[in-house]
Amino acid sequence: MGGAVSAGEDNDELIDNLKEAQYIRTELVEQAFRAIDRADYYLEEFKDNAYKDLAWKHGNIHLSAPCIYSEVMEALDLQPGLSFLNLGSGTGYLSSMVGLILGPFGVNHGVELHSDVIEYAKQKLDFFIKTSDSFDKFEFCEPSFVTGNCLEISPDCTQYDRVYCGAGVQKEHEDYMKNLLKVGGILVMPLEEKLTKITRTGPSAWETKKILAVSFAPLIQPNHADSGKSRLVHLPPVAVRSLQDLARIAIRGTIKKIIHQETMSKNGNGLKNPPRFKRRRVRRRRMETIVFLDKEVFASRISNPSDDNNNSEDLEDERREEEETKPSELKPDPPVNFLREKVLSLPLPDPLKYYLLYYREK
């Protein structure tokens, strides 16, 4: 079955399609989605499906469809410095995108039931930090993951500004989830077959909005058969950043400002060279339908019978446009990581340079 938007050839084209279908609506969310390649969170043998708007599951590893994640990101209304709790954090894909928006003074915690998935998430996070040029374009709030059942979080845990649950929440657990929120906070979760946004407007006041029809696998209930006792999940403490971390953040921020000033002096208006060509957009048709996919269902909005008459004409226009632009289209040069180049050029000992680059290899 097809997804809610057309498949892309790469991560950027997938994001283009999500924007066109109005699943991604804000610049912050778009930047976060473009910065992290969805394929990096797939096992190698399954990467061919990474840019389809489909959920993926292999053993305990699971990724929701891109249209679901984009609706979640938009609904969370993320801002720098907020605290975020991801219940069922899985591969860490969503947590890492959230961390790009929260910045270095946010809080980014995840609870995951399966220890093997926690290990997988840590590997993917390490790969992103050490290899992705996108990492250097943001001030990052690194996620911290703990193993346990998210229905057994210690009652003395801190409350959060933003909470997301990636599994179906039974009605009897709704109040439990709400109590994880600070006043003014936002909770997004699948509740009664609807992706639901709940805003805490007061100590005992809530606003609820249904976003999208979905069907997630339900939360796994705690099993106390072995010991008969609850295994409380203790979330990481909210600690002040170390002086060493603050120094690294300040130095990287200063270098970025210098790079920006140099770019402005060189280009006059501070704009980078325009791209050699613009990605060709395909006009989508719209319709309302429901798609069932591996225990997930979501609304699709991709066709409209009234557009059928224009479809062949659109295709012909696109073919003609492609033929006209093909000779002039050149493969763009790979992006330059100016921050990394600047750090490596500094008159500093190599260990300090690599620390500023988060221990990247040469």
Side-chain angles (χ1 to χ4, degrees):
M1 289 185 180
V5 300
S6 298
E9 294 183 1
D10 56 25
N11 197 67
D12 278 332
E13 191 166 327
L14 170 63
I15 308 314
D16 289 344
N17 294 341
L18 289 168
K19 282 187 64 181
E20 189 165 349
Q22 290 295 302
Y23 286 104
I24 291 178
R25 299 178 289 278
T26 59
E27 185 177 354
L28 273 177
V29 171
E30 178 185 352
Q31 289 174 349
F33 268 85
R34 291 194 189 279
I36 299 182
D37 196 320
R38 181 176 167 89
D40 290 342
Y41 287 78
Y42 275 66
L43 293 171
E44 193 64 37
E45 60 268 33
F46 300 103
K47 286 190 175 183
D48 288 346
N49 295 319
Y51 307 122
K52 297 177 182 178
D53 193 24
L54 303 174
W56 172 64
K57 192 176 191 305
H58 181 78
N60 292 326
I61 302 171
H62 177 262
L63 281 167
S64 292
C67 71
I68 299 294
Y69 281 136
S70 54
E71 287 286 6
V72 169
M73 290 280 286
E74 291 287 359
L76 285 170
D77 189 22
L78 298 161
Q79 303 295 331
L82 297 181
S83 57
F84 172 67
L85 177 61
N86 189 354
L87 303 175
S89 52
T91 65
Y93 172 64
L94 178 67
S95 291
S96 292
M97 288 195 292
V98 169
L100 295 175
I101 298 177
L102 296 183
F105 304 111
V107 174
N108 194 356
H109 294 163
V111 179
E112 169 57 43
L113 183 63
H114 303 288
S115 58
D116 60 326
V117 180
I118 290 273
E119 185 58 34
Y120 185 86
K122 289 180 178 178
Q123 292 172 5
K124 296 303 180 183
L125 174 63
D126 189 60
F127 178 81
F128 171 67
I129 290 175
K130 291 184 177 180
T131 66
S132 174
D133 288 343
S134 293
F135 173 79
D136 287 330
K137 298 175 183 177
F138 296 83
E139 297 297 341
F140 189 51
C141 181
E142 185 173 335
S144 296
F145 305 112
V146 296
T147 306
N149 190 309
C150 65
L151 292 175
E152 296 183 297
I153 293 175
S154 175
D156 60 356
C157 81
T158 184
Q159 293 177 315
Y160 291 79
D161 297 302
R162 301 291 186 267
V163 178
Y164 171 64
C165 182
V169 177
Q170 294 86 348
K171 188 66 177 176
E172 59 265 30
H173 297 307
E174 180 179 356
D175 288 341
Y176 171 89
M177 296 293 177
K178 287 179 176 179
N179 287 329
L180 296 172
L181 274 185
K182 295 179 181 179
V183 173
I186 295 173
L187 164 67
V188 178
M189 62 181 176
L191 180 68
E192 296 183 316
E193 306 299 308
K194 296 287 193 304
L195 189 64
T196 304
K197 175 180 178 179
I198 298 176
T199 304
R200 188 168 193 171
T201 58
S204 302
W206 315 86
E207 290 181 358
T208 301
K209 178 182 178 182
K210 304 295 184 181
I211 301 172
L212 194 68
V214 294
S215 181
F216 282 63
L219 283 171
I220 295 177
Q221 302 300 308
N223 183 2
H224 305 147
D226 295 337
S227 62
K229 297 180 180 179
S230 174
R231 301 172 183 171
L232 290 180
V233 176
H234 296 279
L235 297 170
V238 179
V240 177
R241 300 294 292 257
S242 69
L243 182 59
Q244 195 174 37
D245 276 351
L246 292 174
R248 174 162 59 182
I249 292 167
I251 293 170
R252 284 169 63 92
T254 300
I255 294 174
K256 286 180 180 180
K257 288 180 181 178
I258 293 172
I259 293 170
H260 177 67
Q261 291 169 356
E262 290 176 348
T263 303
M264 288 187 67
S265 299
K266 188 180 297 183
N267 296 344
N269 58 3
L271 295 176
K272 295 182 179 180
N273 293 330
R276 298 185 183 182
F277 63 92
K278 186 177 180 181
R279 183 182 302 280
R280 180 170 55 86
R281 296 291 182 88
V282 177
R283 298 179 185 176
R284 307 281 184 237
R285 294 175 297 161
R286 296 179 175 273
M287 72 176 179
E288 295 294 333
T289 186
I290 299 296
V291 177
F292 290 84
L293 265 179
D294 191 23
K295 298 184 180 179
E296 286 194 28
V297 57
F298 44 89
S300 174
R301 305 179 292 196
I302 54 175
S303 75
N304 187 340
S306 64
D307 289 342
D308 287 347
N309 294 334
N310 298 326
N311 191 45
S312 59
E313 182 180 344
D314 290 344
L315 291 174
E316 180 62 26
D317 290 343
E318 289 158 9
R319 184 190 63 78
R320 193 159 47 243
E321 178 186 350
E322 186 173 5
E323 289 178 352
E324 290 173 355
T325 59
K326 190 173 182 180
S328 62
E329 286 186 3
L330 299 174
K331 187 176 181 180
D333 295 330
V336 178
N337 189 326
F338 293 105
L339 177 64
R340 186 179 185 189
E341 287 190 349
K342 183 71 76 173
V343 170
L344 291 176
S345 70
L346 294 173
L348 298 172
D350 283 348
L352 182 52
K353 292 180 184 179
Y354 300 146
Y355 174 73
L356 291 174
L357 294 170
Y358 284 79
Y359 301 105
R360 291 175 185 239
E361 296 179 357
K362 290 185 181 180

